[in-house]
């Protein structure tokens, strides 16, 4: 049986790569799990990460932009970024605004900056769905977001 592509890519080293992780920390326990998966995925390829914490998903894109600019100005640019967080549907329209606008801003940022970025902001109906996706032993979306960013970083570094 063939090895899944995801497992092959995850094994390729990226020693010395600097990964920015920005977490919208509205749900502490969920974010602990997302961050654990993300850190493990970064370490698995020999990269390093810096973690920035903001209140929620809407603040994540701005924090990424600020950190990217500051790191570049300091001569220590990041190679990729990862967004982590969780938006759980409630009784109001707020869910659609937060989920849609944070996602749109991340896409704008990654396209305009040619930034390898993994979006690990969960958008779910309830806590059960969130935990199924966040748990390292289950969905491991924190690790998956890092793997997505690293796949794009490898593409960016590829010799054409």
């Amino acid at each position: 049986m063939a090895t899944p592509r995801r497992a092959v890519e995850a094994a390729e080293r990226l020693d010395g790569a600097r990964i920015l992780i920005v977490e919208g920390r509205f749900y502490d326990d969920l974010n602990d799990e997302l961050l654990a998966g993300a850190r493990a995925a970064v370490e698995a390829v020999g990269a390093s990460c810096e973690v920035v914490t903001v209140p929620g998903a809407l603040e994540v894109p701005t924090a990424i932009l600020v950190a990217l600019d500051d790191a570049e100005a300091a001569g220590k640019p990041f190679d990729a970024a990862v967004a982590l967080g969780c938006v759980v549907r409630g009784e109001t329209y707020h869910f659609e605004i937060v989920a849609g606008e944070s996602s749109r801003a991340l896409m704008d940022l990654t396209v305009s900056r040619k930034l390898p970025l993994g979006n690990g902001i969960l958008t779910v109906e309830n806590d059960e769905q969130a935990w199924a996706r966040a748990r390292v032993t289950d969905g491991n979306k924190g690790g998956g977001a890092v793997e997505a960013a690293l796949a794009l970083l490898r593409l960016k570094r590829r010799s054409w």
Side-chain angles (χ1 to χ4, degrees):
M1 187 161 134
T3 303
R5 178 98 176 119
R6 186 173 179 189
V8 171
E9 288 178 355
E12 295 172 20
R13 306 278 304 172
L14 284 167
D15 294 312
R18 293 188 70 233
I19 312 302
L20 170 66
I21 298 174
V22 177
E23 59 168 349
R25 197 161 186 83
F26 195 79
Y27 301 98
D28 285 334
D29 292 346
L30 281 166
N31 267 80
D32 287 344
E33 195 71 8
L34 287 168
L35 189 55
R39 285 182 192 256
V42 168
E43 291 170 10
V45 297
S48 66
C49 65
E50 295 288 330
V51 178
V52 174
T53 301
V54 295
L58 279 176
E59 294 79 25
V60 171
T62 302
I64 290 173
L65 188 57
V66 168
L68 288 173
D69 287 348
D70 288 354
E72 183 76 33
K76 298 185 286 186
F78 288 105
D79 297 295
V82 174
L84 298 179
C86 185
V87 184
V88 179
R89 186 180 299 278
E91 297 177 3
T92 69
Y93 187 69
H94 187 68
F95 171 86
E96 283 81 6
I97 293 169
V98 174
E101 291 302 312
S102 63
S103 181
R104 181 204 48 80
L106 290 172
M107 284 305 297
D108 289 349
L109 178 59
T110 191
V111 170
S112 68
R113 291 282 187 107
K114 296 181 186 141
L115 173 68
L117 186 138
N119 185 350
I121 297 178
L122 307 178
T123 52
V124 297
E125 296 292 325
N126 53 50
D127 289 344
E128 183 180 321
Q129 287 180 357
W131 277 106
R133 287 157 179 77
R135 212 175 282 112
V136 173
T137 58
D138 203 349
N140 193 17
K141 294 300 183 182
V146 169
E147 290 171 4
L150 297 178
L152 291 170
L153 177 57
R154 288 182 186 97
L155 180 65
K156 186 174 181 178
R157 290 182 172 181
R158 181 178 168 179
S159 297
W160 295 93

